[in-house]
Amino acid sequence: YDQAAAANEPTDRSQTAGEAADRMFRELEEASIADKSVAIPTGISQLDDLIGGLFPENLIIIAGRPGMGKSIMGGKVALEAARAGFFADWYSLEMSGKECAARVICDVDFDSALQAGKRGLAYNRLSHHRRGRGLGDDEWERAIAAKQVLESLPLHITDRDRLTMGQIAGLARARAARSPYGRRRVVIIDHLGLIEPSDRYRGRKVDELSEITKQCKIYRVIWC
């Protein structure tokens, strides 16, 4: 019995408080030498000042009622992470890749428009353009300029529905293996409620979400 129990025991990954502190200081030194923070910016300065940004191996869940801007926040984090030199792996289980691109283009345009004293591009204008209503000349130029910025950023969008947590983790690991960014990467999932659950808890929404969030934490490559 003792041998069977020992065989099933998890690997001892404990460390002393001093060892944990050493690891923290090494990361701080590496970030200082490379002039790169390990924190992932949210793009919202007040929030970054409050929490210091998002950190590797953290599971961050943005909660709220429908229509409160969770998807917009996810896109903002993806954009700002890519701008800061992180590989942003964005899984959109609800919006299409074109819708995601339209939202991020508006976000990219906003800062330059603000400096020029103009109103930023509106998402519904880009959506209306896809329905044949057209953009003005100035809007076209600004949208193209924002698109060119996006093309230079390490931001990847996957717009597939009915993905399981295992499939997302597999795709993320494969991309991480091919990426030159190492640990400087973030995975954004929009949204947890649309991840395909296992058969074990199917139909029991609370248990489904509990299982999915636990898997998000277990798959250490997943940073939401």
Side-chain angles (χ1 to χ4, degrees), residues 108-143:
V108 170
D109 172 74
F110 180 79
D111 291 336
S112 57
L114 189 65
Q115 292 176 358
K118 299 179 180 180
R119 295 181 62 181
L121 289 173
Y123 170 72
N124 63 349
R125 289 286 293 158
L126 295 180
S127 297
H128 289 166
H129 163 64
R130 294 208 311 271
R131 298 184 179 97
R133 300 192 182 185
L135 292 174
D137 291 341
D138 181 62
E139 291 174 313
W140 261 113
E141 291 177 4
R142 288 162 52 189

Side-chain angles (χ1 to χ4, degrees), residues 18-204:
E19 289 170 340
D22 284 340
R23 180 180 176 187
M24 180 196 71
F25 275 99
R26 282 198 301 272
E27 289 186 354
L28 287 174
E29 290 172 357
E30 290 171 2
S32 177
I33 293 171
D35 196 25
K36 289 183 178 180
S37 171
V38 297
I40 300 162
T42 66
I44 302 174
S45 58
Q46 290 177 317
L47 181 59
D48 285 333
D49 289 342
L50 182 64
I51 66 174
L54 311 180
F55 289 86
E57 300 177 7
N58 281 355
L59 170 63
I60 308 295
I61 298 177
I62 302 171
R65 296 189 300 273
M68 293 187 70
K70 300 185 298 296
S71 297
I72 293 174
M73 179 66 181
K76 180 68 172 175
V77 171
L79 173 62
E80 295 304 323
R83 279 174 161 171
F86 292 83
F87 176 72
D89 202 1
W90 182 5
Y91 293 82
S92 176
L93 280 63
E94 185 173 34
M95 296 189 299
S96 70
K98 290 184 292 186
E99 290 173 308
C100 293
R103 288 184 183 274
V104 181
I105 282 174
C106 292
D107 208 345
V108 170
D109 172 74
F110 180 79
D111 291 336
S112 57
L114 189 65
Q115 292 176 358
K118 299 179 180 180
R119 295 181 62 181
L121 289 173
Y123 170 72
N124 63 349
R125 289 286 293 158
L126 295 180
S127 297
H128 289 166
H129 163 64
R130 294 208 311 271
R131 298 184 179 97
R133 300 192 182 185
L135 292 174
D137 291 341
D138 181 62
E139 291 174 313
W140 261 113
E141 291 177 4
R142 288 162 52 189
I144 291 172
K147 172 181 174 291
Q148 291 172 339
V149 171
L150 285 185
E151 290 173 342
S152 67
L153 296 176
L155 173 53
H156 193 284
I157 301 172
T158 301
D159 59 344
R160 288 176 55 187
D161 59 1
R162 304 185 68 83
L163 285 175
T164 66
M165 197 60 236
Q167 289 171 325
I168 292 173
L171 289 169
R173 286 196 182 100
R175 288 172 189 154
R178 297 193 301 267
S179 167
Y181 293 88
R183 294 181 68 248
R184 294 181 61 81
R185 63 186 189 276
V186 60
V187 172
I188 300 98
I189 304 173
D190 182 29
H191 56 80
L192 293 183
L194 292 177
I195 296 175
E196 190 72 7
S198 69
D199 293 334
R200 181 180 182 184
Y201 295 118
R202 191 179 301 277
R204 295 151 54 187

Side-chain angles (χ1 to χ4, degrees), residues 197 201-214:
Y201 295 118
R202 191 179 301 277
R204 295 151 54 187
K205 185 55 68 176
V206 172
D207 291 330
E208 286 178 2
L209 290 178
S210 296
E211 179 188 45
I212 289 167
T213 51
K214 181 180 179 180

